[in-house]
Amino acid sequence: MGLLKHHIHTLCMEQKKTGFIKGKVLTLGQQSVWINSLQSSKIFKNYNLKKWNLKENIDYRNNNKYFKNTSKENNLSCKALLTIMGADNVEAMDISDYEGADIIHNLNNPISKSLFEQYDAIIDSGTLEHIFDTPTALKNICDMLKPDGSLFLAYPCSNSIDHGFYSFSPTLFFDFFEANGFTNLSAYLHEGSPRLYERKGRLFKYKHTCKEIPIVSSRGIELIFFAQKSKEYKSDNLRKPIQLIYNERKYEKDEENLNSIKSKNLFSKRLILFLKNISLNILLYLPYEFERICFNMIRRNKIIKYIGRF
């Protein structure tokens, strides 16, 4: 788990828009940071973000055991990164004290009520997929967040076999958090290497619709998700959503579209459908790469928008 360069770029984009990193911040797991102080200054300057000063008498050293005696030994700690971004206090929760976590807790189990509504922001880059009881873990995350507090979540979406128990689709988080009163939902997809973390990949802004499979790729796809808690969230009445594509609202919209089609030029609609079916049948006999290119061209700019390489 850790905050890679593309995570930090995405954090900065959202911080520039909302200023969500502030006050008391919790990280799930002791997040490794893959940039040093000089690199952070360059990224902050790119987004015109203020770099806050570190406080005295606080240990901000990077204690990642895997970074010792490597070029990353002088990388920022997560506490230092989030502090210069605007946090007043940063704590880490983990299942053990192996990496010096402030709070020891197994997120498979409900949290103590003393932790309810304690944090202005919660950051998780790579913990949830390793927790078996996803619904309990998600409820814990919601419960620990203050009203108007924000989440940053980053998890594997596809092509990470056996990395964790699960890979997650964006619809899980859009549907769950919307059902439970969260607002300002937004997501990004990062296409890159699932193993070489420093290799640059492509970052896309993702628009949640009823369309399945927004991108076809042989590379690893990671989901980065943001949401803000509202006062509508009720811990004692957690809502379990129906996936959007099977939701009654979607069927009602489909019926409206069908009625609209009937009232318009039926010939042109049938012609488009006919040509689409021919194209799909032709693709069956072409190399897979043709399918990937055609599919991504159709979905590009409708569901995903290219942002840059990070």
Side-chain angles (χ1 to χ4, degrees):
M1 67 187 70
L3 296 172
L4 310 181
K5 280 187 179 180
H6 65 272
H7 295 135
I8 296 164
H9 277 279
T10 315
L11 278 168
C12 288
M13 291 177 203
E14 293 293 324
Q15 180 70 358
K16 180 68 177 176
K17 289 192 293 186
T18 66
F20 77 101
I21 297 176
K22 60 185 178 181
K24 194 173 179 182
V25 178
L26 178 71
T27 67
L28 303 184
Q30 196 69 271
Q31 302 287 323
S32 303
V33 176
W34 288 65
I35 62 170
N36 56 38
S37 181
L38 179 60
Q39 290 169 321
S40 74
S41 296
K42 290 179 179 178
I43 294 173
F44 277 42
K45 185 177 180 181
N46 186 47
Y47 296 100
N48 196 26
L49 279 178
K50 177 181 178 180
K51 191 172 181 180
W52 297 82
N53 293 325
L54 297 177
K55 299 176 182 178
E56 296 181 1
N57 303 320
I58 296 180
D59 186 1
Y60 290 106
R61 288 177 298 178
N62 166 24
N63 292 318
N64 187 312
K65 296 177 175 61
Y66 298 103
F67 286 177
K68 294 295 181 184
N69 301 316
T70 72
S71 60
K72 304 177 188 66
E73 188 170 21
N74 294 318
N75 279 10
L76 291 169
S77 67
C78 190
K79 183 175 287 189
L81 175 67
L82 296 175
T83 298
I84 62 177
M85 291 190 79
D88 293 325
N89 183 26
V90 181
E91 295 179 349
M93 173 183 283
D94 213 332
I95 194 171
S96 74
D97 61 358
Y98 174 71
E99 292 184 305
D102 303 285
I103 304 166
I104 309 302
H105 182 76
N106 182 343
L107 284 168
N108 282 297
N109 304 318
I111 58 165
S112 164
K113 289 201 172 182
S114 64
L115 290 172
F116 277 33
E117 299 186 355
Q118 290 298 303
Y119 298 98
D120 297 284
I122 295 178
I123 311 291
D124 180 21
S125 180
T127 296
L128 186 66
E129 72 266 28
H130 303 289
I131 298 170
F132 181 78
D133 193 343
T134 302
T136 296
L138 283 173
K139 184 178 185 299
N140 285 336
I141 291 170
C142 294
D143 287 340
M144 289 189 288
L145 198 62
K146 292 179 182 178
D148 296 325
S150 296
L151 299 170
F152 167 89
L153 309 174
Y155 307 121
C157 195
S158 65
N159 291 348
S160 292
I161 296 172
D162 269 356
H163 167 74
F165 283 125
Y166 310 105
S167 293
F168 296 111
S169 289
T171 192
L172 169 65
F173 300 104
F174 276 105
D175 296 350
F176 171 78
F177 286 110
E178 182 181 9
N180 286 282
F182 279 64
T183 60
N184 297 326
L185 311 182
S186 66
Y188 299 81
L189 295 176
H190 184 262
E191 179 192 37
S193 171
R195 293 295 304 170
L196 301 178
Y197 297 148
E198 292 181 282
R199 184 192 294 274
K200 286 185 177 182
R202 298 191 298 170
L203 185 68
F204 299 90
K205 189 76 170 65
Y206 173 70
K207 181 181 179 182
H208 185 45
T209 68
C210 291
K211 299 291 186 181
E212 301 173 80
I213 315 173
I215 184 172
V216 176
S217 177
S218 59
R219 300 184 181 186
I221 305 294
E222 181 187 33
L223 165 68
I224 302 172
F225 187 85
F226 292 85
Q228 185 176 25
K229 183 177 176 179
S230 76
K231 294 178 181 178
E232 289 184 25
Y233 172 76
K234 304 296 180 185
S235 177
D236 57 355
N237 187 27
L238 194 73
R239 296 170 185 169
K240 299 177 181 178
I242 296 173
Q243 188 180 349
L244 178 62
I245 63 170
Y246 300 110
N247 195 297
E248 288 181 7
R249 289 177 300 168
K250 191 260 182 184
Y251 290 130
E252 290 171 1
K253 188 174 180 181
D254 285 348
E255 182 117 13
E256 289 175 8
N257 290 337
L258 185 61
N259 292 332
S260 176
I261 289 171
K262 289 178 179 178
S263 64
K264 292 179 181 178
N265 189 334
L266 193 58
F267 175 78
S268 63
K269 296 292 181 182
R270 285 179 173 173
L271 179 61
I272 291 171
L273 185 61
F274 174 72
L275 293 174
K276 179 180 178 182
N277 288 334
I278 289 178
S279 300
L280 291 174
N281 283 315
I282 291 173
L283 283 174
L284 289 173
Y285 299 97
L286 295 175
Y288 173 75
E289 189 65 13
F290 283 90
E291 176 188 341
R292 186 190 69 79
I293 293 171
C294 291
F295 188 89
N296 286 337
M297 285 176 62
I298 292 169
R299 291 293 169 88
R300 189 70 47 82
N301 297 324
K302 293 182 179 179
I303 300 177
I304 58 174
K305 181 180 178 182
Y306 178 71
I307 293 177
R309 289 183 59 83
F310 303 107

CSV table of all heavy atoms in Angstrom, one decimal, residues 3 25-31 78-79 82 90-94 119 121-124 127:
chain,number,residue,atom,x,y,z
A,3,LEU,N,1.1,5.8,-1.4
A,3,LEU,CA,0.7,6.9,-2.3
A,3,LEU,C,1.8,7.1,-3.4
A,3,LEU,O,2.9,7.6,-3.1
A,3,LEU,CB,0.6,8.1,-1.4
A,3,LEU,CG,-0.5,8.1,-0.4
A,3,LEU,CD1,-0.5,9.3,0.5
A,3,LEU,CD2,-1.9,8.0,-1.1
A,25,VAL,N,-6.7,13.9,10.1
A,25,VAL,CA,-6.7,13.0,9.0
A,25,VAL,C,-6.3,11.6,9.4
A,25,VAL,O,-5.4,11.4,10.2
A,25,VAL,CB,-5.8,13.5,7.8
A,25,VAL,CG1,-5.8,12.5,6.7
A,25,VAL,CG2,-6.2,14.9,7.4
A,26,LEU,N,-7.0,10.6,8.9
A,26,LEU,CA,-6.7,9.2,9.2
A,26,LEU,C,-6.3,8.5,8.0
A,26,LEU,O,-6.9,8.6,6.9
A,26,LEU,CB,-7.9,8.5,9.8
A,26,LEU,CG,-7.7,7.0,10.1
A,26,LEU,CD1,-6.8,6.8,11.3
A,26,LEU,CD2,-9.1,6.3,10.4
A,27,THR,N,-5.2,7.7,8.0
A,27,THR,CA,-4.8,6.8,6.9
A,27,THR,C,-5.1,5.4,7.4
A,27,THR,O,-4.9,5.0,8.5
A,27,THR,CB,-3.4,7.0,6.5
A,27,THR,OG1,-2.5,6.5,7.6
A,27,THR,CG2,-3.0,8.4,6.2
A,28,LEU,N,-5.6,4.6,6.4
A,28,LEU,CA,-5.8,3.1,6.7
A,28,LEU,C,-4.5,2.4,6.3
A,28,LEU,O,-4.2,2.4,5.1
A,28,LEU,CB,-7.0,2.6,6.0
A,28,LEU,CG,-8.3,3.3,6.3
A,28,LEU,CD1,-9.5,2.7,5.6
A,28,LEU,CD2,-8.6,3.4,7.8
A,29,GLY,N,-3.8,1.9,7.2
A,29,GLY,CA,-2.5,1.4,7.0
A,29,GLY,C,-1.4,2.5,7.0
A,29,GLY,O,-1.8,3.7,6.8
A,30,GLN,N,-0.2,2.2,7.2
A,30,GLN,CA,0.9,3.2,7.2
A,30,GLN,C,1.3,3.4,5.8
A,30,GLN,O,2.1,2.6,5.2
A,30,GLN,CB,2.1,2.7,8.1
A,30,GLN,CG,3.1,3.7,8.5
A,30,GLN,CD,2.5,4.7,9.5
A,30,GLN,OE1,2.0,5.7,9.0
A,30,GLN,NE2,2.7,4.5,10.7
A,31,GLN,N,0.8,4.4,5.1
A,31,GLN,CA,1.0,4.6,3.7
A,31,GLN,C,2.4,5.0,3.4
A,31,GLN,O,3.0,5.9,3.9
A,31,GLN,CB,0.0,5.6,3.2
A,31,GLN,CG,-1.4,5.4,3.4
A,31,GLN,CD,-1.9,4.3,2.5
A,31,GLN,OE1,-1.6,4.2,1.3
A,31,GLN,NE2,-2.8,3.4,3.0
A,78,CYS,N,4.1,9.7,5.2
A,78,CYS,CA,2.7,10.1,4.9
A,78,CYS,C,2.3,11.2,5.8
A,78,CYS,O,1.6,12.1,5.4
A,78,CYS,CB,1.8,8.9,5.0
A,78,CYS,SG,0.2,9.2,4.5
A,79,LYS,N,2.7,11.2,7.0
A,79,LYS,CA,2.4,12.2,8.0
A,79,LYS,C,2.9,13.6,7.5
A,79,LYS,O,2.3,14.6,7.5
A,79,LYS,CB,3.0,11.9,9.3
A,79,LYS,CG,2.6,12.9,10.4
A,79,LYS,CD,3.1,12.5,11.8
A,79,LYS,CE,2.3,11.4,12.3
A,79,LYS,NZ,2.6,11.0,13.7
A,82,LEU,N,0.9,14.8,4.2
A,82,LEU,CA,-0.5,15.3,4.4
A,82,LEU,C,-0.4,16.5,5.3
A,82,LEU,O,-1.3,17.4,5.2
A,82,LEU,CB,-1.3,14.2,5.1
A,82,LEU,CG,-1.6,12.9,4.3
A,82,LEU,CD1,-2.3,11.9,5.1
A,82,LEU,CD2,-2.4,13.3,3.0
A,90,VAL,N,-2.3,13.9,11.8
A,90,VAL,CA,-2.4,12.7,11.0
A,90,VAL,C,-2.2,11.5,11.8
A,90,VAL,O,-1.1,11.3,12.5
A,90,VAL,CB,-1.4,12.7,9.8
A,90,VAL,CG1,-1.5,11.5,8.9
A,90,VAL,CG2,-1.5,14.0,9.0
A,91,GLU,N,-3.1,10.5,11.7
A,91,GLU,CA,-3.0,9.3,12.5
A,91,GLU,C,-3.1,8.1,11.5
A,91,GLU,O,-3.7,8.3,10.4
A,91,GLU,CB,-4.1,9.1,13.5
A,91,GLU,CG,-4.0,10.2,14.7
A,91,GLU,CD,-5.1,10.0,15.7
A,91,GLU,OE1,-6.1,9.3,15.4
A,91,GLU,OE2,-5.0,10.7,16.8
A,92,ALA,N,-2.6,6.9,11.9
A,92,ALA,CA,-2.7,5.8,11.0
A,92,ALA,C,-3.3,4.6,11.8
A,92,ALA,O,-3.0,4.4,13.0
A,92,ALA,CB,-1.3,5.3,10.6
A,93,MET,N,-4.2,3.9,11.1
A,93,MET,CA,-4.8,2.7,11.7
A,93,MET,C,-4.3,1.5,11.0
A,93,MET,O,-4.3,1.5,9.7
A,93,MET,CB,-6.4,2.8,11.6
A,93,MET,CG,-7.1,1.6,12.0
A,93,MET,SD,-8.9,1.7,11.8
A,93,MET,CE,-9.3,2.7,13.2
A,94,ASP,N,-4.0,0.4,11.7
A,94,ASP,CA,-3.5,-0.8,11.1
A,94,ASP,C,-3.9,-2.0,12.0
A,94,ASP,O,-4.3,-1.8,13.1
A,94,ASP,CB,-2.0,-0.8,10.9
A,94,ASP,CG,-1.6,-1.5,9.6
A,94,ASP,OD1,-2.3,-2.5,9.2
A,94,ASP,OD2,-0.6,-1.1,9.0
A,119,TYR,N,-12.8,12.2,12.2
A,119,TYR,CA,-11.8,12.6,11.2
A,119,TYR,C,-12.4,13.5,10.1
A,119,TYR,O,-13.5,13.2,9.6
A,119,TYR,CB,-11.1,11.4,10.6
A,119,TYR,CG,-10.4,10.6,11.6
A,119,TYR,CD1,-10.9,9.4,12.2
A,119,TYR,CD2,-9.1,11.0,12.1
A,119,TYR,CE1,-10.3,8.7,13.2
A,119,TYR,CE2,-8.4,10.3,13.0
A,119,TYR,CZ,-9.0,9.2,13.6
A,119,TYR,OH,-8.3,8.5,14.6
A,121,ALA,N,-10.8,13.8,7.2
A,121,ALA,CA,-10.5,13.1,5.9
A,121,ALA,C,-10.0,11.8,6.3
A,121,ALA,O,-9.3,11.6,7.3
A,121,ALA,CB,-9.5,13.9,5.1
A,122,ILE,N,-10.3,10.8,5.4
A,122,ILE,CA,-9.7,9.5,5.5
A,122,ILE,C,-9.1,9.1,4.2
A,122,ILE,O,-9.7,9.2,3.1
A,122,ILE,CB,-10.8,8.4,5.9
A,122,ILE,CG1,-11.4,8.8,7.3
A,122,ILE,CG2,-10.3,7.0,5.9
A,122,ILE,CD1,-12.5,7.8,7.8
A,123,ILE,N,-7.9,8.6,4.3
A,123,ILE,CA,-7.1,8.3,3.1
A,123,ILE,C,-6.8,6.8,3.1
A,123,ILE,O,-6.3,6.2,4.1
A,123,ILE,CB,-5.7,9.0,3.1
A,123,ILE,CG1,-5.9,10.5,3.3
A,123,ILE,CG2,-5.0,8.8,1.8
A,123,ILE,CD1,-6.6,11.3,2.2
A,124,ASP,N,-7.2,6.1,2.0
A,124,ASP,CA,-6.8,4.7,1.9
A,124,ASP,C,-6.4,4.4,0.5
A,124,ASP,O,-7.1,4.5,-0.4
A,124,ASP,CB,-8.0,3.8,2.3
A,124,ASP,CG,-7.7,2.3,2.2
A,124,ASP,OD1,-6.4,2.0,2.2
A,124,ASP,OD2,-8.6,1.5,2.0
A,127,THR,N,-5.8,-0.7,1.2
A,127,THR,CA,-6.1,-1.5,2.4
A,127,THR,C,-7.4,-2.4,2.2
A,127,THR,O,-7.4,-3.6,2.5
A,127,THR,CB,-6.2,-0.7,3.6
A,127,THR,OG1,-5.0,0.0,3.9
A,127,THR,CG2,-6.6,-1.5,4.8
